[in-house]
Amino acid sequence: MGWMGWRLAFTLAVAAAGGLLGTLWGATRGAHSLEGTLAGALIAVTVLFLRDLVVGHRVLRWLSGGLTESPRWQIGLWGELTARVERAVRGRERQIEQERDRLAQFLSAIEASPNGVLLLDAAEQIRWCSQTAAEHLGLDRHRDIEQRVTNLVRAPAFVALLQSRQFEHPVQIPQPGGQGVLSVMVRAYGDGQRLVLTQDITERERADAMRRDFVANVSHEIRTPLTVVAGFVETLTNLPLSEVERKRVLSLMAQQTQRMQSLVGDLLTLARLEGSPRPPTDSWVPLSRIGAAVEADAQGLSASRHRLSFDWGDGVGLAGSEAELLSAITNLVSNAVRYTPDGGEVSVHWRDRADGGGEIAVRDTGPGIAAEHLPRLTERFYRVDGSRSRDTGGTGLGLAIVKHVVQRHGGELLIDSGVGVGSCFTLVLPAGRVRRPLDGRPLPEAVRALAGR
Ligand code: ADP
């Protein structure tokens, strides 16, 4: 039997009970039995109806109160009714909660992307904006919702892209209010809505520009001596030269080819440094051995025009690549010799550092370098004095190589210089790559202090 049936039976039972009571009451009063029965049944049904009205009213109040408290009716029609309503509403609430969780997860996945995401409706108004997109485009992700995006992001390329409705290719725009460059891509979806993806390509652009500059610089550096050599070849071919002239031309040609050779050698060194793994930390080289090679090189280059002094420490060992360390120190010493005028002084000193590491300082009494050049000195092809660099066989790559080598050995290159006071280039190596005598272990601080080193 359904609820309607039960309800009908209950109502009939109440009416019958009322009728029975009415009959009994009528009998005691001597009234007509049928009138008593009808009156009893009517009163009973009316009371039931009035009670239903009151309970119905309370149930309505409970419903419009958002079901915050649990229903008070446990049995009967109203108990069943409120229980079912409550179950249905709670089920729906759970479903909504789950959907909300899923949406939150989905949005946090989008937020995790390094790219910015912006959702636009058909009228180009912002519907949603990820934190990254807000940062990229200078938007406020709460205040700017519902705003037309073209009122806020006015870069012409972006506006044109949105209006063209040809979304195949991304466009590049300057980052609003910033120094960077953004790549912006638009995709259509749904009913006229659009998805805008933003990507910060500042670094990529910078690397591209550096690569272009580098290629242009290399080409220029090679073209100059090549033009000179080509000119000499033409001279040798077309002009009858005396033996003395011929020798002089050939020696100039040799100089230019030597310049190209140095350049290609340095380029190859840089390429090798970039493409190879870090030097080992357990392969030890005595610094004195590197020092001997550096000294021989410096003496050859200076040809007694400078006072040179060297101190390679006492039994110091370095961990790393001997060839790289030799190349770095040679580069610093050869710069000092090349840029210091005759009669000047160049000194190379090993010094222990308090942290257990050590440093090789290459000091000269040359012209020094103005402060504004210092930050750019290790850039490839950056020269303060271009003609002196080229005249003395410089490639403009020496300090770039030195910086690379020290960094690969976990150290750093310090430059201290000023116009008229000479320069000091210091190659700092970390404790892990420095070994002193005594079982090859670094001396403890106290022993070193006692030894006065
Ligand atoms: P280069 O082959 O031109 O010497 P580097 O990269 O070794 O290239 O040096 C870059 C520039 O730094 C040089 O062109 C020179 O102007 C400056 N420089 C380097 N070392 C010294 C130094 N010891 N004294 C003065 N200037 C220096």
Side-chain angles (χ1 to χ4, degrees):
M1 201 162 20
W3 268 101
M4 280 307 286
W6 277 111
R7 185 66 188 173
L8 202 58
F10 179 62
T11 311
L12 285 176
V14 168
L20 191 64
L21 282 174
T23 310
L24 290 176
W25 180 74
T28 57
R29 296 290 172 112
H32 197 282
S33 69
L34 188 61
E35 282 171 7
T37 312
L38 280 179
L42 198 65
I43 290 170
V45 171
T46 307
V47 167
L48 185 65
F49 176 68
L50 287 176
R51 180 206 168 249
D52 272 355
L53 267 185
V54 171
V55 174
H57 178 69
R58 286 188 185 158
V59 168
L60 268 181
R61 258 211 336 244
W62 172 73
L63 280 175
S64 47
L67 281 63
T68 43
E69 51 200 73
S70 49
R72 281 179 287 152
W73 307 275
Q74 310 292 337
I75 51 165
L77 175 67
W78 294 110
E80 182 69 14
L81 185 77
T82 52
R84 285 192 187 191
V85 167
E86 194 183 25
R87 216 174 309 139
V89 170
R90 302 270 182 249
R92 194 66 52 84
E93 275 176 356
R94 241 192 330 273
Q95 221 172 1
I96 292 174
E97 195 63 35
Q98 280 172 357
E99 293 295 333
R100 200 174 293 152
D101 279 357
R102 250 208 297 271
L103 183 65
Q105 269 185 16
F106 185 69
L107 291 182
S108 52
I110 295 183
E111 292 285 3
S113 156
N115 297 343
V117 179
L118 193 69
L119 302 184
L120 305 180
D121 64 14
E124 292 172 3
Q125 290 176 338
I126 300 174
R127 302 304 304 271
W128 186 80
C129 173
S130 74
Q131 180 63 35
T132 314
E135 281 163 17
H136 283 171
L137 298 171
L139 300 175
D140 182 315
R141 42 185 322 204
H142 303 297
R143 196 192 57 210
D144 292 340
I145 291 294
E146 305 282 310
Q147 298 287 319
R148 258 185 104 94
V149 70
T150 41
N151 290 344
L152 303 167
V153 181
R154 292 169 181 274
F158 174 65
V159 177
L161 175 70
L162 269 185
Q163 281 162 4
S164 74
R165 296 177 191 280
Q166 309 270 308
F167 301 141
E168 294 90 52
H169 302 296
V171 292
Q172 287 184 12
I173 61 169
Q175 191 167 11
Q179 300 287 317
V181 185
L182 295 178
S183 167
V184 180
M185 195 186 268
V186 178
R187 288 284 179 268
Y189 75 99
D191 192 12
Q193 287 118 302
R194 264 146 299 168
L195 170 77
V196 178
L197 297 169
T198 61
Q199 189 184 12
D200 187 346
I201 53 165
T202 315
E203 271 310 301
R204 201 174 74 197
E205 278 299 295
R206 214 173 59 90
D208 280 354
M210 268 174 67
R211 205 168 26 245
R212 280 194 299 271
D213 277 1
F214 182 66
V215 171
N217 276 327
V218 170
S219 314
H220 176 77
E221 294 286 334
I222 289 185
R223 195 176 52 188
T224 313
L226 209 52
T227 311
V228 177
V229 171
F232 285 143
V233 169
E234 211 175 293
T235 308
L236 284 178
T237 318
N238 298 330
L239 296 181
L241 297 178
S242 69
E243 188 58 20
V244 177
E245 285 168 333
R246 211 177 64 87
K247 277 211 172 112
R248 178 163 158 66
V249 164
L250 283 176
S251 122
L252 287 171
M253 285 172 78
Q255 227 175 48
Q256 296 303 322
T257 47
Q258 171 64 43
R259 196 172 138 190
M260 285 190 277
Q261 262 168 351
S262 309
L263 180 67
V264 172
D266 278 357
L267 286 172
L268 284 175
T269 304
L270 268 178
R272 254 197 309 272
L273 289 176
E274 278 172 352
S276 59
R278 276 179 164 240
T281 47
D282 55 354
S283 155
W284 295 92
V285 192
L287 180 57
S288 55
R289 192 163 79 206
I290 297 178
V294 173
E295 280 179 39
D297 208 71
Q299 267 143 10
L301 195 62
S302 164
S304 306
R305 289 175 295 129
H306 310 87
R307 264 174 299 141
L308 307 177
S309 63
F310 301 93
D311 165 14
W312 302 106
D314 192 7
V316 172
L318 300 182
S321 154
E322 180 167 0
E324 287 181 24
L325 291 168
L326 175 62
S327 143
I329 303 170
T330 305
N331 260 307
L332 291 182
V333 176
S334 107
N335 276 354
V337 170
R338 282 168 42 228
Y339 292 104
T340 302
D342 294 359
E345 218 175 299
V346 173
S347 67
V348 183
H349 277 279
W350 167 263
R351 217 180 11 234
D352 290 317
R353 284 174 75 91
D355 62 3
E359 60 186 39
I360 298 159
V362 180
R363 192 180 295 277
D364 67 50
T365 58
I369 303 158
E372 75 254 29
H373 296 294
L374 296 182
R376 300 196 56 191
L377 223 51
T378 54
E379 279 175 27
R380 293 159 186 206
F381 297 115
Y382 188 85
R383 294 170 167 112
V384 180
D385 180 349
S387 57
R388 174 141 189 101
S389 160
R390 292 189 182 88
D391 289 351
T392 54
T395 59
L397 295 173
L399 290 180
I401 292 176
V402 176
K403 186 175 171 191
H404 242 295
V405 170
V406 252
Q407 281 178 348
R408 281 162 57 76
H409 285 77
E412 58 178 331
L413 174 67
L414 307 178
I415 307 175
D416 182 18
S417 184
V419 175
V421 295
S423 311
C424 183
F425 289 77
T426 307
L427 218 148
V428 181
L429 290 162
R433 289 192 180 267
V434 176
R435 186 163 77 168
R436 298 166 185 88
L438 287 192
D439 304 327
R441 283 198 306 275
L443 283 175
E445 197 63 32
V447 178
R448 234 180 15 243
L450 274 179
R453 293 208 276 133

